Amino acid sequence: MWSSRWLFVLAAAGSAVGLGNIWKFPYITGENGGGAFVLIYLICVAFVGIPIMMAEVMIGREGRQSPINTMRALVQQHHRSPAWVLIGWMGVLAGFLILSYYTVIAGWALYYILQMAQGTFDGATGAVAESTFNDFLSDPWRLVFWQTLFMVMTVWIIARGVIKGLESAIRWFMPLLFVLLIVLLGYAVTTDGFQQGWDFMFAFHWEDVSGQTVLVAMGQAFFTLSLGMGAIMAYGAYVPSNASITSTVSIIAILDTLVAVAAGLAIFPIVFANGLEPGQGPGLMFVTIPLAFGQMPLGALFGTLFFLLVSFAAITSAISISEPALAYLVETYNAKRGRVAITLGVISWVLGLGTVFSFNIWADRHVVGDLTFFDFVDYVSQNVMLPLGGMLIALFGAWALPKTVIGSQLGLQEGWVNVVWKVVCGVIAPLGVLVVFVATVIG
Ligand code: TRP
């Protein structure tokens, strides 16, 4: 059990805030044209993300086991179809896929700690920052080295048990990360790209909206809030019974959104001030941020600290991605946490090699259409599996659990369960996901 509601907030925020906010959100905003994407993303967080996060915490706290076993126990207890347990299994699979590439990108952040500390970017131009990054990507062995290092660190932490070490660390690192983002933001305001960066993020143009934009925005809402695969459900199992789910979840979602928007506002002005390309893809953060620090006094110091904090944010997320599978194996087979952690790590590491090679020796190999291995794994997990899992979780949380259970979990009177919860979580959220899927298929 978390020692208080605040520790759950910290742990869940630690899971939510990660590469998704600082690396992914800016780069897919860039690829999808800016303002329209941001607005749709915010709508998805509010109307789909928050209700589904509440459902995950509620189901986890009701079952108090790993997601697979929680679903098993709840379908038995309430005489529902065992098919619901598939939610748990799909989550475990999605977790492997996500962890496999998450560790690769987090490895880049580790490498950049070193680069910043060595002063590689002091006074660098946009061209230098770009070529430093491209050289790094073209070398599979260097990428594998940093991927491996990050995976070993993750496995080591999850093997020792999550709570003790992390609680105290998250308490310090999260606020510090926020402060550094504000420093970067302060710098971005002084560049002459600020107005353009601001407009890029907040000016809404209808012509930029397609089914695809909406699907990617929704996938990002799931990814950034850690939803759809049982990670928050697994954490929810340790939440004290008297904590309010509504307010706790709102705090987590607001924090997470603030970090993403701050990262975007810090990055895009630098893109425009240096004549860089907003839609350049996964390298965006690794080019713009070093560039900004390279131009600031004490930049090497702040830059080192920044990538250290990003790596830390990534670790607190990576451990939550593996928690559903880990908890399931430990609980069901009474296996040793350490052994399970190593096994999971090895499997994800091997899968991750596909992502490493997607940036160099397999760059021209396309798995489907023009998607590389990385693009494909990323697309299927984020844009298909997480929304699908989230939709099922919402339906289960609204319709399969008895009113009395929902009422006592959410502190709602039974009459209100029908009016509020079944409408928001049982209809609006799953319908939103469905409409986006259908709209994308129709194009
Ligand atoms: N939310 C994290 C981020 O933004 C990533 C993450 C952690 C995640 N746990 C998850 C994504 C579970 C999907 C599902 O970086």
Side-chain angles (χ1 to χ4, degrees):
M1 195 79 78
W2 307 107
S3 26
S4 75
R5 158 168 112 101
W6 285 107
L7 281 163
F8 169 65
V9 171
L10 276 178
S15 164
V17 175
L19 297 172
N21 307 62
I22 304 164
W23 162 73
K24 193 162 217 173
F25 173 72
Y27 102 73
I28 57 179
T29 299
E31 285 182 338
N32 289 280
F37 176 85
V38 174
L39 181 67
I40 298 168
Y41 157 81
L42 293 174
I43 293 173
C44 290
V45 168
F47 291 99
V48 180
I50 291 181
I52 292 179
M53 190 185 273
M54 290 175 63
E56 284 209 27
V57 178
M58 178 179 97
I59 295 169
R61 188 164 79 171
E62 183 65 24
R64 291 237 183 265
Q65 297 176 61
S66 71
I68 293 176
N69 288 333
T70 281
M71 293 307 295
R72 276 190 186 148
L74 293 179
V75 296
Q76 260 173 16
Q77 195 181 339
H78 304 295
H79 312 290
R80 304 295 175 197
S81 157
W84 289 110
V85 181
L86 278 175
I87 293 176
W89 289 106
M90 188 168 70
V92 167
L93 180 62
F96 274 110
L97 296 179
I98 294 173
L99 190 63
S100 79
Y101 71 82
Y102 206 83
T103 46
V104 174
I105 314 294
W108 301 356
L110 287 180
Y111 172 75
Y112 267 68
I113 300 176
L114 194 72
Q115 291 303 307
M116 294 301 315
Q118 289 174 341
T120 307
F121 298 99
D122 289 351
T125 60
V128 170
E130 274 182 330
S131 69
T132 306
F133 182 68
N134 292 333
D135 289 348
F136 175 52
L137 279 200
S138 65
D139 182 353
W141 301 118
R142 259 197 294 172
L143 299 189
V144 170
F145 174 82
W146 293 99
Q147 170 212 12
T148 310
L149 185 62
F150 187 84
M151 186 62 94
V152 168
M153 287 162 50
T154 306
V155 166
W156 189 71
I157 293 179
I158 57 182
R160 303 192 40 157
V162 177
I163 299 175
K164 271 261 162 48
L166 281 176
E167 279 192 4
S168 49
I170 294 175
R171 240 186 259 258
W172 287 100
F173 282 113
M174 295 274 294
L176 215 56
L177 180 66
F178 222 80
V179 169
L180 269 193
L181 272 176
I182 290 170
V183 170
L184 270 173
L185 204 57
Y187 171 80
V189 173
T190 67
T191 64
D192 48 11
F194 187 71
Q195 188 58 45
Q196 216 182 334
W198 178 277
D199 289 345
F200 182 75
M201 271 191 65
F202 297 124
F204 180 85
H205 301 288
W206 259 115
E207 64 273 18
D208 297 337
V209 182
S210 68
Q212 193 61 30
T213 326
V214 185
L215 181 67
V216 176
M218 188 179 69
Q220 173 63 13
F222 278 95
F223 186 87
T224 189
L225 294 173
S226 306
L227 299 179
M229 57 151 284
I232 296 295
M233 199 188 287
Y235 277 13
Y238 314 126
V239 175
S241 307
N242 57 3
S244 151
I245 292 183
T246 321
S247 65
T248 313
V249 163
S250 308
I251 295 170
I252 296 164
I254 290 171
L255 262 176
D256 184 76
T257 307
L258 282 177
V259 174
V261 171
L265 273 183
I267 284 177
F268 286 113
I270 299 167
V271 168
F272 293 114
N274 290 280
L276 298 168
E277 181 40 52
Q280 62 180 269
L284 188 65
M285 168 181 103
F286 294 95
V287 174
T288 52
I289 300 229
L291 197 57
F293 282 123
Q295 296 167 1
M296 267 184 244
L298 292 182
L301 179 69
F302 281 139
T304 310
L305 193 57
F306 178 81
F307 281 102
L308 195 71
L309 292 170
V310 169
S311 306
F312 186 80
I315 277 239
T316 57
S317 301
I319 57 179
S320 79
I321 303 173
S322 54
E323 184 64 18
L326 187 83
Y328 171 71
L329 292 171
V330 170
E331 206 171 75
T332 313
Y333 301 104
N334 206 1
K336 283 229 165 60
R337 225 180 137 88
R339 274 200 208 147
V340 177
I342 292 173
T343 314
L344 298 182
V346 169
I347 299 173
S348 289
W349 181 85
V350 172
L351 264 175
L353 293 176
T355 290
V356 165
F357 298 149
S358 299
F359 292 99
N360 36 68
I361 53 182
W362 290 356
D364 298 321
R365 289 205 187 187
H366 298 143
V367 184
V368 189
D370 59 355
L371 302 181
T372 62
F373 182 90
F374 160 66
D375 297 331
F376 179 72
V377 171
D378 179 31
Y379 190 92
V380 170
S381 55
Q382 167 166 328
N383 298 344
V384 180
M385 295 173 85
L386 297 182
L388 200 63
M391 182 165 84
L392 294 173
I393 289 170
L395 291 173
F396 185 84
W399 303 108
L401 291 178
K403 254 194 270 182
T404 44
V405 169
I406 302 173
S408 75
Q409 281 290 346
L410 298 181
L412 285 175
Q413 280 168 348
E414 281 178 40
W416 285 103
V417 169
N418 279 337
V419 183
V420 185
W421 184 245
K422 297 209 165 168
V423 171
V424 176
C425 188
V427 180
I428 297 180
L431 202 62
V433 178
L434 190 69
V435 167
V436 174
F437 270 129
V438 173
T440 317
V441 172
I442 297 174

